[in-house]
Amino acid sequence: MATLNEEELDGAQALIKTLSDLGVEYVFGYSGGAALPMFDALETVESNIKFVLTRHEQGATHMADGYARATGKPGVVLVTSGPGAGNTITGIMTAQMDSVPMIILSGQQVTWMLGKDAFQEADIFGITIPIVKHNYLVRETNDLPKVAREAFHIATTGRPGPVLIDVPKNVSQSPFTGDLDAEIDLPGYKPEEAMDIDSSSLEAAARLINLAKKPVILAGHGAMIAGAEAELMELANRTESPVTSTLLGKGVFPESHPLSVGMLGMHGTAYANKAICECDLLINVGSRFDDRIIGQADKFCAQAKIIHFEIDNAEVGKMIVPDVAVVGDAKVALTQLLPMIEQADHADWLEHINGYKKKYPLGYKKQGGLRMQQVLDDIYELTDGEAIITTDVGQHQMWAAQFYLNDASFKWISSGGAGTMGFGFPAAIGAQFACPDETVIAVAGDGGFQMTLCEIATAVIHKLPIKILVLNNHYLGMVRQWQELFFDNRESGVDLEGNPDFVKLAEAYGCKGINIKRPADVKKKLQEALDYNEGPVLINAECVKTDNVFPMIPAGAALEDMLIEPPKHKMAKPVGST
Amino acid sequence: MSRTITTSDKKPAARADIIDGHTLSMFVNNKPGVLMRICQIFARRAYNIDSLVVSQGRDPQFSRLTLGISGDPAGLPQIILQCDKLIDVIHCYEHTPDDSVVRELALVKIVVEGGEKRTELLQIVEHFGGKTVDLNESSMIIRIEGASDKVDAAIRLMNSYEIIETVRTGKVVMARGEQVT
Ligand SMILES: Cc1ncc(C[n+]2csc(CCOP(=O)(O)OP(=O)(O)O)c2C)c(N)n1
């Protein structure tokens, strides 16, 4: 590798050098004309950055996302202009919806051609405005290091999110004559304010908490991002509250803990949703009250007081108007709150909730074919609940959330806000790069897996020992479930006739493949997959075709209208969200 | 009688008034794209921007925006926070007539030949402290400046003449006293 004289850097080299200084380990991406200077700089600049060539730009974004969710560090993507940048949209939107730090570098046409429909020109700056935390179109070579530093700062502080940097080719190619250590300049961005919590809001929260007889804690992704696990545990113990978590909050409070009631919401546990319905105080730590967890908003916790710990001011009162809002970093806020919280005795309330746990346990039929739930239950057992699980979107995702309990943060990686099919497998690749010594399992449906399965090549080349668990029901199962329940079982656009032989397909890429057909074989075959660490292994589990996920709260219905088992009567079409 | 001036600005149909209109001021980075970010927030939530004034701040690194908007008032506090959250927005406030001074300027082009009609019109102009800024045989351009309701009232009175076009600057707002705009 040629050593470079700092005085002779071009813009691209200055940029890559800055990324390296910022601690970037991996860049996921796909090359192309407008990005050539940046790709060349990856070769000419001495750094620890490893570039991972994906097979599609969407895969690159989800890999960066998986990397970020497993580490808390921003994932970095590098793509070319036009179609390359266009292919990142879904991945950027996914990261934005779930507050994931990500940096997307896109090549762009030369500045004097912008706006002239030049070859592979797309206004990716304009296109991505609604799906990023912030973005840049850099017009001055000397601005590149500063912009990169600002982008990292923005992506990783406050409520994290993706930041896109569009770099025209002449900007990256021109000589750099600026300051590599230029200071960031963001007068409109003050994330440090999140560390300064209004003490009167804390006092008001403490008063409500100390008065509550039937409190419930709702732990969200924000608590995890803030690293508030210990404070949350202390709060739960001191208030003797059942703790439920959102889909993205899974693991921030150990789900195997006696106080845990698991996930709430549309496919949450019956006991979590009942606890929410009956509580007299809901303490939300770091969740934005997504429509998937509140159902009919005006009936959500209608009788209870609500405290909302929230870092993003704009989320307060958006869905649910709290009695007390504590705006700021969840860890700082809880740390300052705890001294004001008295030890409670809520034995009766906990006993009551435990009654629900016994009455409405999560379960599944052991007969009538192989159930996705069993596969997930078995892999939970075989990995002692310690694997990193990434999921795709659909029935398998909800069952994975129900049956794979998480006891630690950053081990559950799932697209929540966006519900992006095709996310799970590439996210697992990113997570495995980030955590080479952990067992990483990608749980996918046969539908979503086929959206990004080309990344098997990426996993094979890097010998990543990912377990790709394809839970194959030959259907777009979750959509079929809605059609069965709400559209008189009229199937429309859900039959995945024409699925490939997934094992043969894996083998064609040089990936190990294992078929599971019989319930009795599951443990043995899963163990075989877990023991194989030379590269990825795809497990195709042929599952019952027409199973349904319960409990279920139809979209927009109130939590108390939860279906714990299949309905006996015809259901009206859901009115809420989607 | 044939006219040389074609009417491009029809007399307004009675419209749901914008009593629910709100005035926001923003202090933002003076950079390309900032307005796009702001406009998307309003458009997505079905708010209409009735007026918009942008100008460079005293420090050219920043710009001042005054937006007159209408839409569901219930969603407004969230929108303000959403705008404030933009990295390029330094601050965003809502102002009411009580806490601020609001001004706008209108230019009104009216077909009027000499005679009594013109004299009458000039009286209206004078009453509202307006000025004739252009005058020829068949038309004149009148400038009216003041609070929006005053400008509205003046134009309402002029509606009985043949207005060809009106152009309004949109509101500019400044908070009174110690308060920041
Ligand atoms: C990109 C994308 N397209 C469409 C959907 C709508 N959708 C949600 S779940 C689902 C079915 C998923 O099927 P599959 O991947 O086979 O998983 P299953 O539900 O059968 O477990 C679909 C089509 C989506 N979430 N994402």
Side-chain angles (χ1 to χ4, degrees), chain A residues 125-126 129-130 135 312 314 318, chain B residues 36-37 40 78 81 85 87:
Chain A
F125 173 84
I129 283 178
N135 60 7
D312 179 357
K318 183 184 82 175
Chain B
M36 248 157 94
R37 299 182 200 275
Q40 282 191 356
Q78 207 252 332
L81 293 171
K85 187 163 115 177
I87 310 287

Side-chain angles (χ1 to χ4, degrees), chain A residues 166-247:
Chain A
D166 201 21
V167 189
K169 200 174 93 172
N170 58 315
V171 171
S172 55
Q173 207 158 247
S174 299
F176 175 78
T177 57
D179 178 5
L180 275 171
D181 304 311
E183 296 268 318
I184 62 173
D185 177 23
L186 297 165
Y189 183 61
K190 300 190 186 69
E192 62 283 357
E193 284 175 357
M195 303 300 157
D196 194 6
I197 315 285
D198 171 23
S199 57
S200 66
S201 68
L202 286 169
E203 283 155 20
R207 260 194 307 278
L208 288 183
I209 293 171
N210 288 332
L211 282 174
K213 299 274 174 288
K214 298 186 288 178
V216 169
I217 295 172
L218 163 57
H221 196 198
M224 194 183 292
I225 296 168
E229 291 83 355
E231 293 75 16
L232 201 59
M233 177 61 78
E234 181 62 27
L235 182 69
N237 283 329
R238 222 182 277 182
T239 57
E240 295 205 335
S241 304
V243 182
T244 181
S245 84
T246 62
L247 180 72

Side-chain angles (χ1 to χ4, degrees), chain A residues 123 125-126 129-130 133-135 154 159 185-189 312-314 318, chain B residues 29 31-33 36-37 40 61-62 78 81-82 84-90:
Chain A
D123 177 8
F125 173 84
I129 283 178
K133 184 168 175 188
H134 195 56
N135 60 7
I154 293 168
R159 179 178 178 180
D185 177 23
L186 297 165
Y189 183 61
D312 179 357
N313 216 354
K318 183 184 82 175
Chain B
N29 285 330
K31 278 192 204 163
M36 248 157 94
R37 299 182 200 275
Q40 282 191 356
Q61 194 194 337
F62 301 109
Q78 207 252 332
L81 293 171
Q82 208 73 45
D84 220 356
K85 187 163 115 177
L86 292 173
I87 310 287
D88 280 329
V89 173
I90 318 301

